[in-house]
Amino acid sequence: MKLTVFGATGGIGREMVRQALAAGHEVTAVVRDPARLTVTGERLVVLRTDLSEPDALCEAVTGRDAVLSGLGARSRADAGVAARLTRSVLTAMEVESVRRLLVVSAAPLGPVPDGQALLDKAVLAVVNSVLKDVYADLRVMESDLAASSADWTSVRPPKLTDRQLTGRYRTVVGGTPPRGRSLARADVAHAMLAMIDDPSTVRQGVGVAY
């Protein structure tokens, strides 16, 4: 497949690029600073843009089978970036008639699973309070996705870690895995690539966790 990855220098984005190349896909990695992208490969094209250039965004997505985004706030100070940048990507995809889009969101945006432990609920309440601005940004992003014509999937992992790829995680379409407390960035990337051709995930939020 021909794929475009936005946020390719982030932890999840870099893994999406690496794993997609290893699987034989052609990848366009969209970055602000090419020096920060340590992944290399014969089927890799690196496109430098700050995502404010409509022509560059259209160039990035034209002819693609799917677009994957690891864009998002890295701190509370970055709140708002996910919705704003994803909106730009959606506009470029509509112009170029590209439909498939997978984005990273967060587990708190999904429903609380039945039988969730009281401790997990308490921890979630604290996290929601501390990161309320970041989650508000992601809610706007997901609202924009729902209002678009794209065949989108919002992937909602819990706390992210730097563990190695395992491939052993649970996914719940439209829900949240119970007692899912963490997931490696490498496994988030793996799950997103696996969902590209999964019709059950189209226009759905998908909870992913160990």
Side-chain angles (χ1 to χ4, degrees):
M1 287 187 289
K2 296 181 179 180
L3 308 176
T4 292
V5 177
F6 286 92
T9 58
I12 294 173
R14 186 168 53 250
E15 279 293 330
M16 286 192 286
V17 172
R18 185 184 65 78
Q19 293 181 34
L21 290 172
H25 302 304
E26 296 180 22
V27 180
T28 296
V30 183
V31 301
R32 291 182 181 179
D33 181 4
R36 293 182 56 203
L37 184 62
T38 57
V39 183
T40 60
E42 293 182 358
R43 294 179 304 278
L44 175 64
V45 173
V46 180
L47 179 62
R48 180 177 184 174
T49 176
D50 63 2
L51 304 186
S52 65
E53 306 166 46
D55 289 345
L57 292 181
C58 288
E59 178 186 349
V61 303
T62 186
R64 301 290 97 177
D65 297 304
V67 175
L68 300 100
S69 173
L71 297 169
R74 296 182 180 179
S75 68
R76 294 171 64 185
D78 294 333
V81 70
R84 176 171 56 84
L85 296 181
T86 302
R87 200 172 295 129
S88 297
V89 172
L90 282 168
T91 299
M93 290 178 62
E94 184 173 0
V95 169
E96 297 298 328
S97 300
V98 177
R99 297 188 59 84
R100 190 70 173 114
L101 172 65
L102 298 96
V103 305
V104 178
S105 185
L109 273 71
V112 177
D114 294 336
Q116 185 80 311
L118 290 177
L119 176 60
D120 290 329
K121 290 181 180 180
V123 170
L124 181 60
V126 172
V127 172
N128 279 337
S129 177
V130 172
L131 297 178
K132 62 181 180 180
D133 293 338
V134 173
Y135 294 148
D137 176 26
L138 293 175
R139 289 188 179 92
V140 173
M141 179 190 73
E142 291 205 359
S143 178
D144 288 343
L145 291 172
S148 76
S149 61
D151 292 335
W152 56 270
T153 299
S154 179
V155 180
R156 299 168 174 163
K159 178 182 178 182
L160 297 172
T161 74
D162 291 324
R163 290 177 56 186
Q164 297 295 312
L165 174 67
T166 70
R168 299 189 297 273
Y169 47 80
R170 296 170 291 154
T171 61
V172 179
V173 176
T176 306
R179 298 174 301 282
R181 297 175 180 173
S182 69
L183 191 65
R185 291 175 177 84
D187 278 317
V188 178
H190 187 273
M192 292 178 71
L193 290 167
M195 291 178 199
I196 292 174
D197 287 332
D198 185 350
S200 72
T201 68
V202 172
R203 300 189 68 82
Q204 293 284 343
V206 181
V208 187
Y210 293 131

